[in-house]
Amino acid sequence: MKILTVIGARPQFIKAATVSREVLKRQNDGVDIEEVIVHTGQHFDANMSDIFFEQMRIPKPDYNLEVHSLGHGAMTGQMLEKIEKVLLDEQPDWVLVYGDTNSTLAGALAAKKLHIRVAHVEAGLRSFNMAMPEEVNRIMTDRISDLLFCPTATAVSNLQAEGFGGDARGFGSIVRSGDVMQDAAMFYAALSEKPGIEFDFDSPFVLTTIHRAENTDDPERLQSIFEALQTIAEKTPLILPLHPRTRAKLTALGIRSLHDRLIIIDPVGYLEMVYLLTHCALVMTDSGGLQKEAFFFEKPCITLRDETEWTELVEHGFNLLTGADRNTIIDASEKMLRHKQLFDERKPELYGNGNASGIIVDALLKNQCKPNSDSTE
Ligand code: UDP
């Protein structure tokens, strides 16, 4: 069986790493399985791309399509055209896509038009905010996927509410796989690496990331978030590995760190990120993946957005949604930094038990000869 994986953005490298490792394990066990990796090029800086392949030992991509730095239409369009050519040459049994980026949508659409089966990892997530490019990408990808790997119970119910998993024809099959990011956190926890900055990691600090378009593309929101960060830094240092998009926006708006305890650094690799996650006192982020990683590493989280796809974390009190309002963020940080018992009780198993990649590879193998089989599990 040949799987063709389409990835292009940082979170996709992290998610795909665990499935690639599982494929190699099966190969070593003598299973007839092969993976061809296509990197669309969407993220291309060494610290947004290469470092993940090296640190997480992801096989080198078989193709790099070098599509980047374009608007949504041009980027998705160029990817679609280039992926189609690769698919015609490779003729895979499955195209495997991850998450919600333009690379996800382009991979799924190119495959579907060629009648190649599509499997979507991280299916069923919804923010119910159609202004988010990610929401459009994930809804479109889910609709044309044959196998929908859901990380959570909420993701399964979202799909069911849209008609998946029932009698309606033309919908793919739901598989509740658990979350591949849980697999990654468990596997790489022991391999964490201290970031190369001067800092006493044994003293409390806040780990922050900001990169969502709704924050970076709205000067008022970005300004308000940064004012909150400067105020929080007066009491507790913050470490902010900065996404290139956010750096460009901050420079354009003339916003800079006014406090030496608001420590802005370049993006770090996953192993450094795991170190920061295990040592920090609080996570403040607008990232999807980091909200869950805070939970995996038992840290409280504040989400700098108006809504989240990972609603179970908010429902259980592990995550506070603040939006971009300065005072709300400051109040939430004080509350969460004081809240020491958050993880004292037994943690619920919200994202599976670390075997999502195994379940995904099993389902791909099981369904390899049965197009549109009804394998709801
Ligand atoms: N991440 C990383 N280095 C960084 C910032 C984030 O390795 O400097 C990791 C983070 O731990 C998580 C993933 O990148 O696993 C999240 O990616 P991102 O926030 O870019 O995307 P999202 O999850 O919001 O789609």
Side-chain angles (χ1 to χ4, degrees), residues 10 47 195 197 199 201 205-212 216 222 225-230 233 236-244 246-247 250 255-268 273 276 280 282-287 290 304:
R10 173 170 68 187
N47 58 14
I197 53 168
F199 186 77
F201 289 104
F205 69 94
V206 181
L207 172 61
T208 304
T209 72
I210 300 158
H211 77 290
R212 282 257 100 69
T216 58
L222 198 56
I225 290 172
F226 260 75
E227 281 174 18
L229 300 187
Q230 313 270 21
T236 313
L238 289 101
I239 299 183
L240 170 54
L242 200 58
H243 194 286
T246 318
R247 189 177 283 280
L250 290 177
I255 303 175
R256 58 194 177 84
S257 170
L258 298 174
H259 206 297
D260 59 3
R261 281 145 60 105
L262 173 52
I263 304 164
I264 299 183
I265 58 175
D266 284 336
V268 295
M273 204 60 185
L276 292 169
C280 71
L282 170 67
V283 173
M284 290 176 55
T285 190
D286 60 10
S287 157
L290 216 62
L304 307 167

Side-chain angles (χ1 to χ4, degrees), residues 138-277:
R138 52 173 93 101
I139 289 175
M140 305 296 282
T141 302
D142 281 344
R143 186 61 191 86
I144 56 174
S145 290
D146 297 277
L147 274 182
L148 296 110
F149 293 114
C150 291
T152 59
T154 314
V156 172
S157 351
N158 288 340
L159 288 178
Q160 286 168 339
E162 290 174 21
F164 291 80
D167 296 333
R169 288 190 296 171
F171 286 85
S173 302
I174 298 170
V175 178
R176 180 157 171 204
S177 56
D179 196 317
V180 287
M181 292 191 81
Q182 168 84 75
D183 300 19
M186 287 167 77
F187 182 82
Y188 292 97
L191 304 173
S192 76
E193 284 179 13
K194 193 172 176 174
I197 53 168
E198 283 291 318
F199 186 77
D200 173 13
F201 289 104
D202 292 326
S203 62
F205 69 94
V206 181
L207 172 61
T208 304
T209 72
I210 300 158
H211 77 290
R212 282 257 100 69
E214 70 212 47
N215 288 330
T216 58
D217 295 0
D218 181 332
E220 243 174 67
R221 286 180 74 100
L222 198 56
Q223 183 80 45
S224 172
I225 290 172
F226 260 75
E227 281 174 18
L229 300 187
Q230 313 270 21
T231 305
I232 294 166
E234 283 163 19
K235 287 193 188 148
T236 313
L238 289 101
I239 299 183
L240 170 54
L242 200 58
H243 194 286
R245 181 205 294 161
T246 318
R247 189 177 283 280
K249 294 286 178 177
L250 290 177
T251 308
L253 292 170
I255 303 175
R256 58 194 177 84
S257 170
L258 298 174
H259 206 297
D260 59 3
R261 281 145 60 105
L262 173 52
I263 304 164
I264 299 183
I265 58 175
D266 284 336
V268 295
Y270 185 72
L271 301 184
E272 287 85 0
M273 204 60 185
V274 170
Y275 187 95
L276 292 169
L277 279 158

